[in-house]
Amino acid sequence: MKEKTGFMRVAAILFMFLATSCSGLSVMSDYDRDYDFTRQRTYRWVTDSGRDSSDVLSVNPLLKNRVQSAIDRELAARGFPAARGSSAAGLEIAVRAYISEKSMIRREPAPFYPRLYWWGKGFRYYPWFDPFEGVPVLYHYDEFLLLIDMTDQTGRRMVWNGSARGLLKRYRTGEAMQKDIDFAVSEIFSDFPLQKAVRK
């Protein structure tokens, strides 16, 4: 039962991207300016023989398939099909994801403090409230990090990488999670050297 609960937690809270309207997603990408991306048009996925327990995708194959499918769609839209079977591929792609616990201190508005104080011959009531005074509150939260690396198989050198970092949230369905995964991957590839083909 404990193992099942742990698995559901990973499946439920991984890639908890905030909604687009208030996104806390931070993305970055970089590439080799001397590399000609038009020369290599096929790729294959890296299959690691070992298992990295800190990599959430390595212990959750269903989630890894969702992420890879999103990347497949982005690359296909740019004319990069995945190699079929044992066909030779010019590029190799590796994807990893990690979750880390974070904390932050934020000053919240001070609560309402009604007070009684001694004045002369008796107590008086003073409804004290200072809108400019804050109370430090410690928050704990989980943060995800998604990493995508692209390597040229001919020269065995990295030619492109991208990452996304953001807060985690809970999902009720895999479809809702897929929607946010698609959004994050799309943002990572937004500055890819080859853009999406324009549909007429």
Side-chain angles (χ1 to χ4, degrees):
M1 183 66 181
K2 183 177 181 181
E3 181 179 353
K4 181 179 180 181
T5 302
F7 178 82
M8 291 301 293
R9 177 180 180 274
V10 171
I13 70 172
L14 183 63
F15 290 99
M16 318 307 186
F17 303 110
L18 294 178
T20 307
S21 58
C22 55
S23 175
L25 191 66
S26 174
V27 298
M28 186 280 296
S29 65
D30 195 11
Y31 67 96
D32 186 343
R33 266 60 177 176
D34 297 325
Y35 185 77
D36 184 5
F37 284 86
T38 62
R39 293 191 301 109
Q40 304 291 356
R41 287 290 189 173
T42 58
Y43 66 93
R44 67 181 180 88
W45 289 101
V46 174
T47 55
D48 295 327
S49 56
R51 173 171 291 189
D52 180 4
S53 59
S54 61
D55 176 10
V56 189
L57 300 185
S58 69
V59 298
N60 191 332
L62 294 178
L63 192 56
K64 186 172 184 177
N65 288 340
R66 288 186 177 277
V67 177
Q68 288 184 339
S69 295
I71 297 174
D72 285 337
R73 287 189 289 271
E74 286 295 321
L75 290 176
R78 292 168 171 78
F80 282 80
R84 301 295 181 181
S86 58
S87 302
L91 297 169
E92 196 173 68
I93 300 178
V95 59
R96 309 180 306 282
Y98 303 93
I99 293 177
S100 57
E101 295 183 357
K102 301 289 185 178
S103 62
M104 64 175 291
I105 297 178
R106 190 170 66 182
R107 301 192 69 85
E108 298 289 352
F112 182 74
Y113 288 115
R115 294 179 178 179
L116 292 175
Y117 64 96
W118 180 261
W119 182 268
K121 297 182 180 180
F123 287 97
R124 291 194 177 186
Y125 173 75
Y126 177 59
W128 178 84
F129 176 73
D130 186 352
F132 300 102
E133 181 173 343
V135 177
V137 179
L138 177 63
Y139 288 92
H140 296 280
Y141 62 95
D142 289 332
E143 182 182 75
F144 77 87
L145 173 63
L146 174 65
L147 301 172
I148 308 173
D149 297 329
M150 184 178 292
T151 306
D152 176 68
Q153 290 301 287
T154 304
R156 299 299 303 176
R157 60 170 177 167
M158 182 178 294
V159 296
W160 181 91
N161 65 9
S163 66
R165 184 189 301 271
L167 302 179
L168 302 184
K169 70 178 182 183
R170 294 186 179 277
Y171 289 104
R172 289 185 176 273
T173 65
E175 288 71 19
M177 181 169 59
Q178 185 69 62
K179 181 178 179 180
D180 284 348
I181 291 175
D182 291 343
F183 169 70
V185 171
S186 175
E187 288 294 297
I188 294 175
F189 280 91
S190 61
D191 292 326
F192 193 75
L194 297 182
Q195 294 301 305
K196 293 181 179 180
V198 178
R199 295 183 179 180
K200 297 181 179 181

